[in-house]
Amino acid sequence: MLALRGCFFKQKIKKQTRYDANARLASETPFTINEIEALYHLFKKLSSTIIDDDLIHKEEFLLALFRSRNTNNLFAERIFNLFDIKHDGVIEFGEFVRSLSIFHPRASVADKISFAFRLYDLRETGYIERDELKEMVLAILSESDLTLSEDTIESMVDKTLAEADLNGDGKIDEQEWEELVAKHPSLIKNMTIPYLRDLTVAFPSFVLNTEVPD
């Protein structure tokens, strides 16, 4: 009887701790507590695809996005690295929620612009350089199944750099990137995932009561 009671209290404490953690995430992101509970179930599913350890490994991340753990995709690699806030090779639940919140329709445009800039800044130098811009153009074309001549691609890169590089130093800084996005909002179109607006509708079976039991 005592063992059963002890087990009950441990489960209650664990549930309370998770609720508190989710409440903190809700206060820091556009997600509600119910939506974070939905994300928790999604996270549990993703993090147990290969290794059931409550962590999303790169192979699991690639598998979720492309149905293959060996996909050589520049976007996937960069997004994984940006989600991996601690840079320890795995994505924890808090990192998952905070990073995914950038793609929420209610997230600020400034946050989306900043995230997109870091996505393109492949070598994390604080600038988007010409070769990085070309790599991202090639990745976008690959994702779109489009094939363009090398001359056309070079022309696209040169035209974009010429428009964005306002101070003529051959690279794009964050301020120049902001001004480029202001002219071409479609550059951050993929930074919004509409169904994140209401996960409790997208994943109704994941909805949990936000009240903490007595």
Side-chain angles (χ1 to χ4, degrees), residues 160-173:
T160 302
L161 189 60
E163 181 179 4
D165 180 21
L166 300 178
N167 62 12
D169 63 355
K171 52 195 176 185
I172 303 170
D173 61 32

Side-chain angles (χ1 to χ4, degrees), residues 8 12 211-214:
F8 170 77
K12 185 175 180 180
E211 284 188 20
V212 179
D214 295 330

Side-chain angles (χ1 to χ4, degrees), residues 78-95:
R78 283 298 296 152
I79 292 174
F80 178 86
N81 290 338
L82 290 174
F83 271 51
D84 177 18
I85 297 170
K86 295 181 180 177
H87 304 295
D88 55 3
V90 292
I91 300 172
E92 299 174 2
F93 181 59
E95 294 175 314

Side-chain angles (χ1 to χ4, degrees), residues 31 37-39 58 74 81 94 103 144 152-153 156 180 186 191 206 210:
F31 296 115
E37 284 287 1
L39 287 175
K58 184 177 289 187
L74 189 61
N81 290 338
F103 295 84
S144 305
T152 300
I153 293 171
M156 288 174 61
L180 183 66
S186 61
M191 294 302 301
F206 292 161
T210 56

Side-chain angles (χ1 to χ4, degrees), residues 85-146:
I85 297 170
K86 295 181 180 177
H87 304 295
D88 55 3
V90 292
I91 300 172
E92 299 174 2
F93 181 59
E95 294 175 314
F96 181 71
V97 173
R98 289 185 176 90
S99 298
L100 199 59
S101 72
I102 301 295
F103 295 84
H104 197 290
R106 291 194 297 270
S108 73
V109 172
D111 286 343
K112 293 177 186 293
I113 291 174
S114 177
F115 190 96
F117 180 82
R118 289 185 290 140
L119 181 66
Y120 281 79
D121 180 15
L122 302 178
R123 282 177 283 282
E124 301 180 44
T125 60
Y127 299 95
I128 299 172
E129 301 184 43
R130 189 186 187 285
D131 58 337
E132 293 174 320
L133 188 59
K134 182 178 179 180
E135 287 185 61
M136 296 308 292
V137 168
L138 290 172
I140 291 170
L141 292 175
S142 176
E143 284 299 296
S144 305
D145 292 323
L146 293 175

